[in-house]
Structures are given as C-alpha cells and as structure tokens.
Amino acid sequence: MAASCPLPVTPDLPTLRAKLQGLLQFLRDALSISNAHTVDFYTESVWEELVDLPPETVLAALRKSASETEALPSETRPLVEAEWEAGMTDFPKIFCETSQKLVSVEAFALAAKYYSVQNLGICTPFEQLLVALRGNQNQRIGENQKAVEFMNMKKSHEVQAMSELISSIADYYGIKQVIDLGSGKGYLSSFLSLKYGLKVYGIDSSNTNTHGAEERNRKLKKHWKLCHAQSRLDVNGLA
C-alpha cells in the first residue's frame, strides 16, 4: 500500500438511502425540465409546455437568488437552507398541480442546489480522494504529458482525470493489472499503460473498436517515445 492516509469516510447506508430517495423524488418532478436540451426550448417548444413564466422573469429571479446567496454570511446560509428543507418535498410550490409547469423559479433553484451531489455529501470530491490515495507519494515522471494530439480537449481531460484516479487506486492497493471493460477506442487503456506503467487488458464488443485501438496504441507508443526523447533534450539543454 503506497499511501498512508485513510480513505474519506462515507455516509452509512440508511443515511445514503434517505438522501438518494429524496434526490429521486425531486428528479421525478423536475426531470422533464432539467433534462431538456437547450435546443429543445426552440425546436420542441419546451418553454411553452413546461414553464409558466416569461424568460425575463426567470432570468431576473435567478440573478436575484444568486446575488442574495452571495450577500449572505457563510454561517447564515446553512440556517436558511435548513429552514427551507422542511418544505422541500412540497413540490406544488415549484410546479403547478394542474399544468405541471414551473411556477416558482426561486424554489426550483434552491431545491436543485440542495439536491446536488456535492451538497448532499454522497460523493467524495475528486481532489480529496486523490490526496487520500496518494498520501505523501511524489508525482510520477511525465505526469504533465498531454494526449491532446490524439483526441479532442473534452476527451483528453476525461482520459487524464480518469487515468490519474485509476492509477492512484492501483498504487494504493498494490495493483499492477487492470481490465478495461468497454474500452472503446482504447484511449484510457493506452494512457494507463504508457503513462502509469500498468498492464491493461482492453475488452470491447466492437471488432472495429478493438482493431482501431491496437493501431492507435501503436502510434501512441511511437509518439510517446519521441516526446520523452525531446523532454530529455530540453532538460539537458537547460542544464
């Protein structure tokens, strides 16, 4: 075990179940509007069907809510939210009982904030988990290596974040081999292998993905060697 810090404490099962049940109830009432894509407001007339307020009123209410929240002292905010929590299941105040349209922007915004995963405390923040897993372990050589050349910015961010988490878990428990189920194009598998030295078995139901991943991994290895060779040249030049 490479890290010495204890892992973050998670809520007990009854507490977790109660919070998830509350979240599920909120989603059942709010999913139709929360799950609507921006384009749907134009193409599917979502606003006319789900919101009983003009856009100007909604924007004004959201701006007011944000400014009032920022103005509140930090020690007062939990008290305000706790007072509102008692009526949090009273969804008729948020949605019209007859039309099911949104009628209270302020109540909806506060409910959405309360039922966020971060506020409920049902998940450990990424940075906090990494600190616990790593302990006093030094960062690996080449940790700033980027893979943007082979994927878009969004995918690159996802792969780097996930590979960092997986490698930290592997180090914590002394794991050297990883199975990537549904490996797709093999970006994560290749990154775990090349950057963190893990032995990875990528499994995918698509032959096209599997063969493409093999070819992509071959190109990545070549690129990786060139990048590290250039890095060593740069270091020697600075020296």
Side-chain angles (χ1 to χ4, degrees), residues 5 42 45 75 84-85 104 106 204 212 225:
C5 297
Y42 298 94
S45 301
E75 64 272 10
W84 189 82
E85 182 179 348
S104 175
E106 294 88 346
D204 196 89
K225 292 178 181 178

Side-chain angles (χ1 to χ4, degrees), residues 11-210:
D12 58 85
L13 192 57
T15 300
L16 182 61
R17 182 183 291 111
K19 290 185 176 183
L20 289 176
Q21 287 176 341
L23 173 59
L24 180 60
Q25 179 180 344
F26 171 70
L27 289 177
R28 283 172 178 164
D29 292 270
L31 191 60
S32 57
I33 187 171
S34 300
N35 201 37
H37 193 279
T38 306
V39 177
D40 296 338
F41 282 86
Y42 298 94
T43 61
E44 305 295 335
S45 301
V46 169
W47 196 280
E48 291 76 8
E49 293 182 7
L50 301 178
V51 185
D52 198 28
L53 299 165
E56 296 78 11
T57 303
V58 173
L59 290 174
L62 291 176
R63 293 191 184 104
K64 180 182 178 182
S65 177
S67 61
E68 288 178 349
T69 301
E70 292 177 357
L72 284 174
S74 57
E75 64 272 10
T76 306
R77 295 175 191 171
L79 297 177
V80 175
E81 294 181 0
E83 291 176 359
W84 189 82
E85 182 179 348
M88 203 166 312
T89 57
D90 194 4
F91 284 100
K93 292 182 179 179
I94 302 177
F95 300 97
C96 175
E97 291 180 310
T98 305
S99 65
Q100 302 301 315
K101 289 185 177 181
L102 178 68
V103 293
S104 175
V105 181
E106 294 88 346
F108 180 78
L110 191 55
K113 179 181 178 182
Y114 176 83
Y115 283 116
S116 66
V117 172
Q118 180 180 5
N119 187 68
L120 289 176
I122 58 179
C123 291
T124 302
F126 181 73
E127 294 76 11
Q128 182 182 347
L129 184 56
L130 284 182
V131 170
L133 288 169
R134 285 178 173 174
N136 298 322
Q137 182 183 5
N138 295 325
Q139 291 186 342
R140 294 172 178 271
I141 298 175
E143 186 147 356
N144 294 323
Q145 181 70 41
K146 304 297 181 182
V148 177
E149 296 87 346
F150 296 92
M151 61 191 89
N152 59 45
M153 293 295 292
K154 178 178 180 295
K155 189 65 177 178
S156 175
H157 170 74
E158 293 172 352
V159 168
Q160 292 183 75
M162 182 59 70
S163 62
E164 186 176 14
L165 176 60
I166 293 174
S167 69
S168 297
I169 295 174
D171 280 344
Y172 190 91
Y173 290 105
I175 296 171
K176 300 299 181 182
Q177 297 182 353
V178 176
I179 298 177
D180 185 1
L181 295 177
S183 54
K185 296 182 179 181
Y187 291 126
L188 180 60
S189 298
S190 297
F191 217 59
L192 287 170
S193 174
L194 294 171
K195 183 175 179 180
Y196 295 104
L198 292 170
K199 188 172 185 178
V200 185
Y201 298 89
I203 302 175
D204 196 89
S205 61
S206 170
N207 286 331
T208 302
N209 281 342
T210 302

